[in-house]
Coordinates of all heavy atoms in Angstrom, one line a residue:
V1 N 5.7 -23.2 12.1 CA 6.6 -22.3 11.4 C 5.9 -22.0 10.0 O 6.0 -20.9 9.5 CB 7.9 -23.0 11.3 CG1 8.9 -22.2 10.3 CG2 8.6 -23.0 12.7
V2 N 5.4 -23.1 9.4 CA 4.8 -22.8 8.0 C 3.6 -21.8 8.1 O 3.5 -21.0 7.2 CB 4.4 -24.2 7.5 CG1 3.6 -23.9 6.1 CG2 5.6 -25.1 7.2
C3 N 2.8 -22.0 9.2 CA 1.7 -21.0 9.2 C 2.1 -19.7 9.5 O 1.6 -18.6 8.9 CB 0.8 -21.5 10.5 SG -0.1 -23.0 10.2
L4 N 3.2 -19.4 10.3 CA 3.8 -18.0 10.4 C 4.3 -17.4 9.1 O 4.1 -16.3 8.9 CB 4.8 -18.1 11.6 CG 4.4 -18.4 13.0 CD1 5.6 -18.5 14.0 CD2 3.5 -17.2 13.4
M5 N 5.0 -18.3 8.4 CA 5.6 -17.9 7.1 C 4.4 -17.5 6.2 O 4.5 -16.5 5.4 CB 6.4 -18.9 6.4 CG 7.7 -19.2 7.3 SD 8.6 -20.6 6.5 CE 9.1 -19.8 5.0
L6 N 3.2 -18.3 6.1 CA 2.1 -17.9 5.3 C 1.5 -16.6 5.7 O 1.1 -15.7 4.9 CB 1.1 -19.0 5.3 CG 1.5 -20.3 4.6 CD1 0.5 -21.5 4.8 CD2 1.8 -20.1 3.0
L7 N 1.3 -16.4 7.0 CA 0.8 -15.1 7.5 C 1.6 -14.0 7.1 O 1.1 -12.9 6.9 CB 0.6 -15.3 9.0 CG -0.6 -16.2 9.6 CD1 -0.5 -16.3 11.0 CD2 -1.9 -15.6 9.1
R8 N 3.0 -14.2 7.2 CA 3.8 -13.2 6.9 C 3.8 -12.7 5.4 O 3.8 -11.6 5.1 CB 5.3 -13.6 7.4 CG 6.3 -12.5 7.0 CD 6.1 -11.4 7.8 NE 7.3 -10.3 7.5 CZ 7.3 -9.1 8.0 NH1 6.3 -8.7 8.8 NH2 8.4 -8.4 7.7
S9 N 3.7 -13.8 4.6 CA 3.6 -13.5 3.2 C 2.2 -12.7 2.8 O 2.3 -11.8 2.1 CB 3.7 -14.8 2.3 OG 4.9 -15.5 2.6
D10 N 1.1 -13.1 3.4 CA 0.0 -12.4 3.3 C 0.0 -11.0 3.6 O -0.6 -10.1 3.0 CB -1.2 -13.2 4.0 CG -1.5 -14.5 3.4 OD1 -1.2 -14.6 2.2 OD2 -2.2 -15.4 4.1
H11 N 0.6 -10.7 4.8 CA 0.7 -9.3 5.3 C 1.5 -8.5 4.3 O 1.2 -7.3 4.0 CB 1.4 -9.4 6.7 CG 1.5 -8.0 7.3 ND1 0.6 -7.3 7.7 CD2 2.7 -7.4 7.4 CE1 1.1 -6.2 8.2 NE2 2.4 -6.1 7.9
L12 N 2.7 -9.0 3.7 CA 3.4 -8.2 2.9 C 2.8 -8.0 1.6 O 2.8 -7.0 1.0 CB 4.7 -9.0 2.5 CG 5.8 -9.1 3.7 CD1 7.0 -10.0 3.3 CD2 6.2 -7.7 4.1
L13 N 1.9 -8.9 1.1 CA 1.1 -8.8 -0.1 C 0.1 -7.7 0.0 O -0.1 -6.8 -0.9 CB 0.5 -10.1 -0.5 CG -0.4 -10.1 -1.8 CD1 0.6 -9.7 -3.0 CD2 -1.0 -11.5 -2.1
M14 N -0.6 -7.6 1.1 CA -1.5 -6.6 1.4 C -0.9 -5.2 1.4 O -1.6 -4.2 1.0 CB -2.4 -7.0 2.8 CG -3.2 -8.2 2.6 SD -4.5 -8.1 1.4 CE -5.4 -6.8 2.1
A15 N 0.2 -5.2 2.1 CA 0.9 -3.9 2.2 C 1.3 -3.4 0.9 O 1.2 -2.1 0.5 CB 2.1 -4.0 3.1
Q16 N 1.8 -4.3 -0.1 CA 2.1 -3.9 -1.4 C 0.8 -3.3 -2.2 O 0.9 -2.5 -3.0 CB 2.8 -4.9 -2.1 CG 4.2 -5.3 -1.6 CD 4.8 -6.5 -2.3 OE1 4.2 -7.1 -3.1 NE2 5.9 -6.8 -1.9
V17 N -0.2 -3.9 -2.0 CA -1.4 -3.5 -2.7 C -2.0 -2.2 -2.2 O -2.5 -1.3 -2.9 CB -2.5 -4.6 -2.6 CG1 -3.9 -4.1 -3.1 CG2 -2.1 -5.8 -3.3
A18 N -1.9 -2.0 -0.8 CA -2.5 -0.8 -0.2 C -1.5 0.4 -0.4 O -2.0 1.5 -0.5 CB -2.6 -1.1 1.3
D19 N -0.3 0.2 -0.6 CA 0.6 1.4 -0.7 C 0.3 2.3 -1.9 O 0.2 3.5 -1.7 CB 2.1 0.9 -0.7 CG 2.7 0.6 0.7 OD1 1.9 1.0 1.7 OD2 3.7 0.0 0.8
P20 N 0.1 1.8 -3.0 CA -0.2 2.6 -4.2 C -1.5 3.4 -4.0 O -1.7 4.6 -4.4 CB -0.3 1.7 -5.4 CG 0.4 0.4 -4.9 CD 0.4 0.2 -3.5
L21 N -2.4 2.7 -3.3 CA -3.7 3.4 -3.1 C -3.6 4.6 -2.2 O -4.0 5.7 -2.4 CB -4.7 2.6 -2.4 CG -5.2 1.3 -3.4 CD1 -6.2 0.4 -2.6 CD2 -5.9 1.8 -4.6
R22 N -2.7 4.5 -1.1 CA -2.5 5.5 -0.1 C -1.6 6.5 -0.8 O -1.8 7.8 -0.6 CB -1.7 5.0 1.1 CG -2.6 4.2 2.0 CD -1.9 4.1 3.3 NE -0.7 3.4 3.3 CZ -0.4 2.1 3.4 NH1 -1.4 1.3 3.6 NH2 0.8 1.5 3.3
T23 N -0.7 6.1 -1.7 CA 0.1 7.2 -2.4 C -0.7 8.1 -3.3 O -0.6 9.2 -3.3 CB 1.3 6.4 -3.2 OG1 2.0 5.7 -2.3 CG2 2.1 7.4 -4.0
N24 N -1.7 7.3 -4.1 CA -2.5 8.1 -4.9 C -3.5 9.1 -4.2 O -3.8 10.2 -4.6 CB -3.3 7.1 -5.8 CG -2.4 6.4 -6.9 OD1 -1.4 6.9 -7.2 ND2 -2.9 5.3 -7.2
Q25 N -3.9 8.7 -3.0 CA -4.8 9.4 -2.3 C -4.0 10.7 -1.6 O -4.7 11.7 -1.4 CB -5.5 8.6 -1.2 CG -6.5 7.6 -1.7 CD -7.0 6.8 -0.7 OE1 -6.6 6.8 0.5 NE2 -8.0 5.9 -0.9
S26 N -2.8 10.5 -1.3 CA -2.0 11.6 -0.8 C -1.5 12.6 -1.6 O -1.0 13.6 -1.1 CB -0.9 10.9 0.1 OG 0.1 10.3 -0.8
I27 N -1.5 12.4 -2.9 CA -1.0 13.3 -3.9 C -2.1 14.5 -3.9 O -3.2 14.4 -4.1 CB -0.9 12.7 -5.3 CG1 0.1 11.6 -5.3 CG2 -0.6 13.8 -6.3 CD1 0.2 11.0 -6.6
K28 N -1.5 15.7 -3.6 CA -2.3 16.9 -3.7 C -2.0 17.7 -4.9 O -0.8 18.0 -5.2 CB -2.0 17.8 -2.5 CG -2.4 17.1 -1.1 CD -2.0 18.0 0.0 CE -2.5 17.4 1.3 NZ -2.2 18.2 2.5
H29 N -3.0 18.0 -5.7 CA -2.9 18.6 -6.8 C -2.8 20.2 -6.7 O -3.8 20.6 -5.9 CB -4.0 18.4 -7.9 CG -4.0 17.0 -8.3 ND1 -3.2 16.5 -9.2 CD2 -4.8 15.9 -7.8 CE1 -3.4 15.1 -9.3 NE2 -4.4 14.8 -8.5
P30 N -1.8 21.0 -7.1 CA -1.9 22.3 -6.9 C -2.9 23.0 -7.5 O -3.4 22.5 -8.5 CB -0.6 22.8 -7.5 CG -0.1 21.8 -8.5 CD -0.7 20.5 -8.0
A31 N -3.5 24.1 -6.8 CA -4.6 24.9 -7.4 C -4.2 25.4 -8.8 O -3.0 25.8 -9.0 CB -4.9 26.1 -6.4
N32 N -5.1 25.4 -9.7 CA -4.9 25.8 -11.0 C -4.9 27.3 -11.2 O -6.1 28.0 -11.0 CB -6.1 25.3 -12.0 CG -5.8 25.8 -13.4 OD1 -4.7 26.2 -13.7 ND2 -6.8 25.5 -14.3
T33 N -3.7 28.0 -11.1 CA -3.6 29.4 -11.1 C -3.5 30.0 -12.4 O -3.3 31.2 -12.7 CB -2.5 29.8 -10.2 OG1 -1.3 29.3 -10.8 CG2 -2.7 29.4 -8.8
T34 N -3.5 29.1 -13.5 CA -3.3 29.6 -14.8 C -4.7 30.2 -15.4 O -5.6 29.4 -15.4 CB -2.8 28.5 -15.7 OG1 -1.6 28.0 -15.3 CG2 -2.4 29.1 -17.2

């Protein structure tokens, strides 16, 4: 049970770190029409 809880915690931490990276990469800047 302790091992499963540790694996679960590591997975959640990795997801939190990766989400901002994916979010930044998915932002599309509009073409500069000015």
Side-chain angles (χ1 to χ4, degrees):
V1 171
V2 171
C3 291
L4 289 175
M5 291 177 66
L6 290 174
L7 289 174
R8 179 63 177 172
S9 299
D10 291 340
H11 177 73
L12 291 175
L13 181 60
M14 292 297 296
Q16 290 175 358
V17 173
D19 281 344
L21 295 176
R22 288 197 300 266
T23 303
N24 292 335
Q25 292 174 356
S26 63
I27 294 176
K28 295 182 180 179
H29 298 280
N32 184 14
T33 58
T34 303

